[in-house]
Short mmCIF file of all heavy atoms in Angstrom, two decimals:
data_model
loop_
_atom_site.label_atom_id
_atom_site.label_comp_id
_atom_site.label_asym_id
_atom_site.label_seq_id
_atom_site.Cartn_x
_atom_site.Cartn_y
_atom_site.Cartn_z
N ALA A 51 5.46 228.61 -81.87
CA ALA A 51 6.27 227.70 -82.71
C ALA A 51 5.79 226.27 -82.56
O ALA A 51 5.44 225.82 -81.47
CB ALA A 51 7.72 227.79 -82.29
N PRO A 52 5.74 225.51 -83.71
CA PRO A 52 5.32 224.10 -83.62
C PRO A 52 6.44 223.25 -83.01
O PRO A 52 7.63 223.57 -83.13
CB PRO A 52 5.06 223.74 -85.07
CG PRO A 52 5.90 224.67 -85.87
CD PRO A 52 6.00 225.93 -85.08
N PHE A 53 6.05 222.15 -82.39
CA PHE A 53 6.99 221.21 -81.76
C PHE A 53 7.89 221.89 -80.71
O PHE A 53 9.08 221.64 -80.62
CB PHE A 53 7.87 220.51 -82.81
CG PHE A 53 7.12 220.00 -84.00
CD1 PHE A 53 7.28 220.58 -85.26
CD2 PHE A 53 6.26 218.92 -83.86
CE1 PHE A 53 6.59 220.09 -86.35
CE2 PHE A 53 5.56 218.43 -84.97
CZ PHE A 53 5.72 219.02 -86.22
N LYS A 54 7.33 222.83 -79.97
CA LYS A 54 8.09 223.56 -78.96
C LYS A 54 8.63 222.63 -77.87
O LYS A 54 9.79 222.71 -77.46
CB LYS A 54 7.21 224.65 -78.34
CG LYS A 54 7.96 225.51 -77.31
CD LYS A 54 7.03 226.46 -76.63
CE LYS A 54 7.79 227.16 -75.49
NZ LYS A 54 6.96 228.09 -74.74
N GLU A 55 7.77 221.72 -77.39
CA GLU A 55 8.15 220.81 -76.31
C GLU A 55 9.31 219.90 -76.72
O GLU A 55 10.24 219.66 -75.96
CB GLU A 55 6.95 219.96 -75.90
CG GLU A 55 5.88 220.77 -75.16
CD GLU A 55 4.66 219.93 -74.80
OE1 GLU A 55 4.67 218.72 -75.13
OE2 GLU A 55 3.73 220.49 -74.21
N GLU A 56 9.22 219.41 -77.98
CA GLU A 56 10.29 218.52 -78.48
C GLU A 56 11.64 219.26 -78.54
O GLU A 56 12.69 218.71 -78.19
CB GLU A 56 9.92 218.00 -79.87
CG GLU A 56 8.80 216.97 -79.83
CD GLU A 56 8.40 216.51 -81.23
OE1 GLU A 56 9.11 216.88 -82.20
OE2 GLU A 56 7.40 215.80 -81.32
N LEU A 57 11.59 220.49 -79.00
CA LEU A 57 12.82 221.30 -79.09
C LEU A 57 13.45 221.52 -77.71
O LEU A 57 14.67 221.44 -77.53
CB LEU A 57 12.53 222.65 -79.74
CG LEU A 57 12.25 222.63 -81.26
CD1 LEU A 57 11.67 223.96 -81.70
CD2 LEU A 57 13.52 222.34 -82.03
N LEU A 58 12.60 221.82 -76.74
CA LEU A 58 13.10 222.05 -75.36
C LEU A 58 13.73 220.78 -74.78
O LEU A 58 14.76 220.84 -74.11
CB LEU A 58 11.97 222.54 -74.46
CG LEU A 58 11.49 223.98 -74.72
CD1 LEU A 58 10.18 224.23 -73.96
CD2 LEU A 58 12.53 224.99 -74.28
N ARG A 59 13.08 219.62 -75.09
CA ARG A 59 13.62 218.33 -74.61
C ARG A 59 15.02 218.09 -75.19
O ARG A 59 15.95 217.66 -74.50
CB ARG A 59 12.69 217.19 -75.02
CG ARG A 59 11.56 216.93 -74.03
CD ARG A 59 10.70 215.79 -74.53
NE ARG A 59 9.30 216.00 -74.19
CZ ARG A 59 8.26 215.57 -74.92
NH1 ARG A 59 8.48 214.95 -76.07
NH2 ARG A 59 7.03 215.78 -74.51
N GLU A 60 15.13 218.32 -76.52
CA GLU A 60 16.43 218.12 -77.19
C GLU A 60 17.52 219.01 -76.56
O GLU A 60 18.67 218.58 -76.36
CB GLU A 60 16.29 218.44 -78.68
CG GLU A 60 15.63 217.31 -79.46
CD GLU A 60 15.42 217.68 -80.93
OE1 GLU A 60 15.93 218.75 -81.36
OE2 GLU A 60 14.76 216.92 -81.63
N ALA A 61 17.14 220.25 -76.27
CA ALA A 61 18.10 221.17 -75.65
C ALA A 61 18.56 220.68 -74.27
O ALA A 61 19.75 220.72 -73.93
CB ALA A 61 17.48 222.56 -75.53
N GLU A 62 17.60 220.16 -73.50
CA GLU A 62 17.94 219.62 -72.18
C GLU A 62 18.84 218.40 -72.28
O GLU A 62 19.79 218.22 -71.50
CB GLU A 62 16.65 219.26 -71.44
CG GLU A 62 15.96 220.47 -70.82
CD GLU A 62 14.67 220.10 -70.11
OE1 GLU A 62 14.38 218.88 -70.00
OE2 GLU A 62 13.94 221.02 -69.70
N GLN A 63 18.51 217.53 -73.27
CA GLN A 63 19.33 216.33 -73.48
C GLN A 63 20.79 216.68 -73.83
O GLN A 63 21.73 216.06 -73.36
CB GLN A 63 18.72 215.47 -74.59
CG GLN A 63 17.51 214.67 -74.12
CD GLN A 63 16.78 213.99 -75.26
OE1 GLN A 63 17.18 214.08 -76.43
NE2 GLN A 63 15.67 213.32 -74.95
N ARG A 64 20.95 217.71 -74.71
CA ARG A 64 22.29 218.17 -75.07
C ARG A 64 23.06 218.65 -73.83
O ARG A 64 24.23 218.34 -73.65
CB ARG A 64 22.18 219.34 -76.06
CG ARG A 64 22.08 218.90 -77.50
CD ARG A 64 22.03 220.11 -78.40
NE ARG A 64 21.06 219.92 -79.47
CZ ARG A 64 20.24 220.85 -79.95
NH1 ARG A 64 20.23 222.05 -79.41
NH2 ARG A 64 19.43 220.59 -80.94
N LYS A 65 22.36 219.41 -73.02
CA LYS A 65 22.99 219.91 -71.78
C LYS A 65 23.45 218.76 -70.90
O LYS A 65 24.57 218.77 -70.36
CB LYS A 65 22.00 220.77 -70.99
CG LYS A 65 21.98 222.22 -71.42
CD LYS A 65 21.07 223.01 -70.49
CE LYS A 65 21.00 224.47 -70.91
NZ LYS A 65 20.09 225.25 -70.03
N GLN A 66 22.59 217.75 -70.74
CA GLN A 66 22.93 216.58 -69.91
C GLN A 66 24.15 215.84 -70.45
O GLN A 66 25.05 215.43 -69.70
CB GLN A 66 21.73 215.63 -69.84
CG GLN A 66 20.63 216.12 -68.88
CD GLN A 66 19.42 215.21 -68.90
OE1 GLN A 66 19.36 214.24 -69.66
NE2 GLN A 66 18.42 215.54 -68.08
N ARG A 67 24.20 215.68 -71.81
CA ARG A 67 25.34 214.99 -72.43
C ARG A 67 26.65 215.75 -72.17
O ARG A 67 27.68 215.14 -71.86
CB ARG A 67 25.11 214.89 -73.95
CG ARG A 67 24.18 213.76 -74.35
CD ARG A 67 23.93 213.85 -75.83
NE ARG A 67 22.63 213.28 -76.21
CZ ARG A 67 21.93 213.63 -77.29
NH1 ARG A 67 22.39 214.58 -78.08
NH2 ARG A 67 20.78 213.06 -77.56
N LEU A 68 26.56 217.06 -72.33
CA LEU A 68 27.77 217.87 -72.09
C LEU A 68 28.26 217.73 -70.65
O LEU A 68 29.46 217.61 -70.39
CB LEU A 68 27.49 219.34 -72.40
CG LEU A 68 27.46 219.73 -73.88
CD1 LEU A 68 26.87 221.13 -74.02
CD2 LEU A 68 28.85 219.71 -74.48
N GLU A 69 27.33 217.77 -69.70
CA GLU A 69 27.70 217.62 -68.29
C GLU A 69 28.31 216.26 -68.01
O GLU A 69 29.31 216.15 -67.29
CB GLU A 69 26.45 217.81 -67.42
CG GLU A 69 26.06 219.28 -67.25
CD GLU A 69 24.78 219.45 -66.46
OE1 GLU A 69 24.22 218.44 -65.99
OE2 GLU A 69 24.33 220.61 -66.33
N GLU A 70 27.74 215.20 -68.62
CA GLU A 70 28.29 213.85 -68.44
C GLU A 70 29.71 213.74 -68.99
O GLU A 70 30.59 213.13 -68.37
CB GLU A 70 27.38 212.83 -69.14
CG GLU A 70 26.09 212.54 -68.37
CD GLU A 70 25.11 211.68 -69.16
OE1 GLU A 70 25.47 211.26 -70.30
OE2 GLU A 70 24.00 211.47 -68.67
N LEU A 71 29.89 214.34 -70.18
CA LEU A 71 31.24 214.34 -70.78
C LEU A 71 32.26 215.02 -69.86
O LEU A 71 33.37 214.53 -69.65
CB LEU A 71 31.21 215.06 -72.13
CG LEU A 71 30.96 214.19 -73.36
CD1 LEU A 71 30.71 215.07 -74.57
CD2 LEU A 71 32.14 213.27 -73.66
N LYS A 72 31.86 216.17 -69.34
CA LYS A 72 32.75 216.91 -68.44
C LYS A 72 33.11 216.10 -67.21
O LYS A 72 34.26 216.06 -66.77
CB LYS A 72 32.10 218.22 -68.01
CG LYS A 72 32.16 219.30 -69.07
CD LYS A 72 31.48 220.55 -68.58
CE LYS A 72 31.50 221.65 -69.65
NZ LYS A 72 30.78 222.86 -69.20
N GLN A 73 32.13 215.42 -66.64
CA GLN A 73 32.37 214.59 -65.44
C GLN A 73 33.32 213.43 -65.74
O GLN A 73 34.21 213.12 -64.95
CB GLN A 73 31.05 214.06 -64.90
CG GLN A 73 30.24 215.10 -64.13
CD GLN A 73 28.91 214.56 -63.65
OE1 GLN A 73 28.49 213.47 -64.03
NE2 GLN A 73 28.23 215.35 -62.82
N LYS A 74 33.11 212.80 -66.94
CA LYS A 74 34.00 211.69 -67.33
C LYS A 74 35.45 212.16 -67.48
O LYS A 74 36.38 211.51 -67.03
CB LYS A 74 33.52 211.10 -68.67
CG LYS A 74 32.36 210.14 -68.52
CD LYS A 74 31.96 209.58 -69.87
CE LYS A 74 30.74 208.66 -69.76
NZ LYS A 74 30.30 208.17 -71.09
#
Side-chain angles (χ1 to χ4, degrees):
F53 314 111
K54 183 186 173 181
E55 289 178 0
E56 288 177 8
L57 287 167
L58 288 168
R59 273 180 215 149
E60 281 176 8
E62 280 179 7
Q63 283 171 2
R64 273 183 221 140
K65 274 186 182 179
Q66 283 176 357
R67 280 174 207 154
L68 283 167
E69 282 176 3
E70 284 172 4
L71 268 169
K72 282 179 181 177
Q73 283 178 350
K74 279 181 183 177

